Amino acid sequence: MLDKLYDPINLSNLISIDKNNLKFLKKILTSMILIRKTENKLALEKKNGLIKGPVHLGVGQEAIPVAISENLKKTDRVFSGHRSHSHLLALNLDIYKLFAEILGKETGFSKGMGGSMHLIDRSVGFYGSVPIVAGTVSLAVGAGLAAKMQNSNDISVAYIGDGAVEEGVVHESLNLAKVLNVPTLFVIENNQFASHMNISLRQPSKITSRFAEANSLPCYTLDGNNIVDVYEKSKKLIQNIRENNGPGFLELVTYRWYGHVDWREDIDVGVERSKQKLENWKRKDPILRLSQSMIDSKIWSKEQEIEIENKIDEQIKISWDKAIKDSYPQKNSISKFVYSN
Ligand SMILES: Cc1ncc(C[n+]2csc(CCOP(=O)(O)OP(=O)(O)O)c2C)c(N)n1
Ligand SMILES: [Mg+2]
């Protein structure tokens, strides 16, 4: 699976079931394009020097949060790490608030005090991202346990990377979640790199779902760039978790187009990240695959897509220009919002 080239996506289930499915496909395609263009804008402005802090971009990986978020409710509890723009945007496409946060403005998701790696928006169920690798995975299990004790059928979600599974807390969290039957979905975005190091140099296997087996969690290992498959399998796992059957594990193999941080591609600075590999993965672009499969199925056209792209470009321009003009937080607010009530 890892080395296969560009693939069409099988849309037959979704097209035949009901007419609303075209609306659904258009929605997920639009979300992916908006997230992609938003992160490309961040790359550009980082390069231009207007963004001061680091930005970890997930361009190439958009299918994962967009597909999973379609199966979540606003009362679910989602946690993430340093590469989390798309995880939040898939729940709330308010790119203005993301731009404002990354520019340190008081109108941002975290009131300008968090920046790119400390995002929060509990109104849509995004409970927070923290750059300490695997730093939120145990919190997700705690939030899942709380949801269970409150007799809700909410779940928690922990987005972690293939590098994060090398942290001990992930294994404690998997074990505890299983033993206590906690409603948590562990999502492993296996982009095959932790900073600059390929997984083949760090782990005895390229597949992390062996840790799901070790803890008896139901799991899927999927092509993370096939949005339909990620949607359908995450739906199954999430339904199973909501029915009080305990945690689930979803491993999604993907690739990030930018390097570890900021806009550079990191070609050949990391072992096993060559121009050729990157080009191969670009042919497996999740956006291209969905859009091309829709066009091939004669339910979509390039013209419709260009119309969407133009609207998004305009939205990005308006949002960025507005965020740039916003104010920084007041100095006297520095000690506020440290503790939550
Ligand atoms: C506990 C800890 N160790 C090391 C780091 C430095 N660091 C930041 S991101 C990263 C790699 C994480 O890789 P992965 O979990 O695969 O996520 P990806 O960057 O690929 O999305 C490392 C080692 C950190 N932030 N926290
Ligand atoms: Mg990784």
Side-chain angles (χ1 to χ4, degrees):
M1 186 175 70
L2 293 181
D3 294 316
K4 219 163 49 175
L5 293 182
Y6 166 74
D7 257 342
I9 299 177
N10 183 358
L11 302 176
S12 52
N13 279 350
L14 278 172
I15 292 173
S16 57
I17 298 168
D18 117 33
K19 285 185 207 130
N20 278 330
N21 286 328
L22 176 55
K23 213 168 136 193
F24 172 74
L25 290 171
K26 185 176 164 189
K27 182 182 173 209
I28 58 175
L29 181 64
T30 306
S31 298
M32 284 200 291
I33 297 173
L34 180 60
I35 293 171
R36 164 82 49 94
K37 283 179 174 276
T38 298
E39 288 211 300
N40 280 338
K41 172 73 173 168
L42 293 173
L44 179 72
E45 298 301 351
K46 178 68 196 174
K47 196 173 180 180
N48 289 340
L50 286 177
I51 294 174
K52 305 300 175 198
V55 281
H56 298 78
L57 304 166
V59 169
Q61 306 184 178
E62 298 87 349
I64 295 168
V66 171
I68 291 171
S69 301
E70 285 299 321
N71 295 309
L72 297 178
K73 304 185 290 173
K74 283 191 160 72
T75 48
D76 289 328
R77 300 139 198 229
V78 178
F79 293 80
S80 180
H82 56 288
R83 201 178 302 285
S84 63
H85 306 151
S86 61
H87 303 153
L88 171 52
L89 289 180
L91 297 166
N92 179 358
L93 288 170
D94 192 341
I95 59 169
Y96 157 67
K97 277 182 124 174
L98 181 70
F99 287 155
E101 186 55 47
I102 290 173
L103 288 166
K105 305 300 178 80
E106 63 182 1
T107 44
F109 275 118
S110 312
K111 304 188 194 303
M113 297 186 187
S116 159
M117 294 186 281
H118 300 90
L119 301 172
I120 189 161
D121 183 3
R122 286 176 67 163
S123 71
V124 292
F126 192 80
Y127 273 45
S129 56
V130 168
I132 296 167
V133 170
T136 54
V137 65
S138 59
L139 304 182
V141 175
L145 184 59
K148 184 182 159 112
M149 291 167 76
Q150 288 155 357
N151 284 325
S152 69
N153 80 335
D154 299 336
I155 69 160
S156 63
V157 176
Y159 283 106
I160 51 180
D162 52 293
V165 303
E166 291 154 25
E167 297 286 347
V169 67
V170 170
H171 304 279
E172 294 177 51
S173 299
L174 289 167
N175 179 75
L176 191 70
K178 182 66 189 181
V179 168
L180 298 183
N181 207 42
V182 175
T184 300
L185 176 66
F186 296 89
V187 178
I188 317 304
E189 289 180 318
N190 185 351
N191 61 16
Q192 305 157 65
F193 283 86
S195 300
H196 302 100
M197 207 180 238
N198 191 273
I199 191 167
S200 59
L201 298 161
R202 305 174 352 245
Q203 296 186 32
S205 159
K206 283 189 170 185
I207 298 302
T208 66
S209 54
R210 64 194 191 278
F211 299 119
E213 281 172 43
N215 290 284
S216 307
L217 264 67
C219 82
Y220 292 104
T221 297
L222 305 176
D223 170 353
N225 289 9
N226 180 338
I227 191 162
V228 174
D229 210 20
V230 178
Y231 169 72
E232 288 176 343
K233 300 293 193 322
S234 62
K235 187 175 190 169
K236 276 192 190 170
L237 272 181
I238 288 173
Q239 263 168 7
N240 190 52
I241 296 169
R242 286 199 205 286
E243 284 161 11
N244 202 20
N245 294 318
F249 190 106
L250 193 54
E251 172 173 26
L252 305 159
V253 179
T254 185
Y255 204 81
R256 55 171 158 69
W257 292 9
Y258 287 109
H260 171 62
V261 63
D262 302 338
W263 76 91
R264 299 173 195 85
E265 287 183 335
D266 287 357
I267 299 294
D268 293 332
V269 299
V271 190
E272 292 201 13
R273 188 173 162 88
S274 64
K275 203 165 185 57
Q276 186 56 50
K277 272 243 161 91
L278 177 59
E279 286 313 312
N280 287 350
W281 275 94
K282 285 191 176 176
R283 291 162 71 181
K284 294 196 270 190
D285 176 359
I287 297 178
L288 178 69
R289 287 171 72 188
L290 177 61
S291 124
Q292 201 53 50
S293 304
M294 287 166 69
I295 292 171
D296 292 349
S297 308
K298 303 203 185 334
I299 56 169
W300 189 243
S301 70
K302 199 67 208 159
E303 292 69 37
Q304 282 172 291
E305 191 156 320
I306 290 170
E307 203 177 303
I308 286 180
E309 290 200 5
N310 290 341
K311 275 192 198 151
I312 288 176
D313 289 340
E314 184 63 15
Q315 187 187 347
I316 287 177
K317 187 180 172 343
I318 292 169
S319 306
W320 179 263
D321 292 349
K322 189 169 169 219
I324 280 272
K325 290 190 202 119
D326 286 349
S327 307
Y328 291 107
Q330 299 289 314
K331 273 192 184 152
N332 64 6
S333 63
I334 197 146
S335 59
K336 289 187 188 162
F337 318 116
V338 176
Y339 296 105
S340 164
N341 51 12

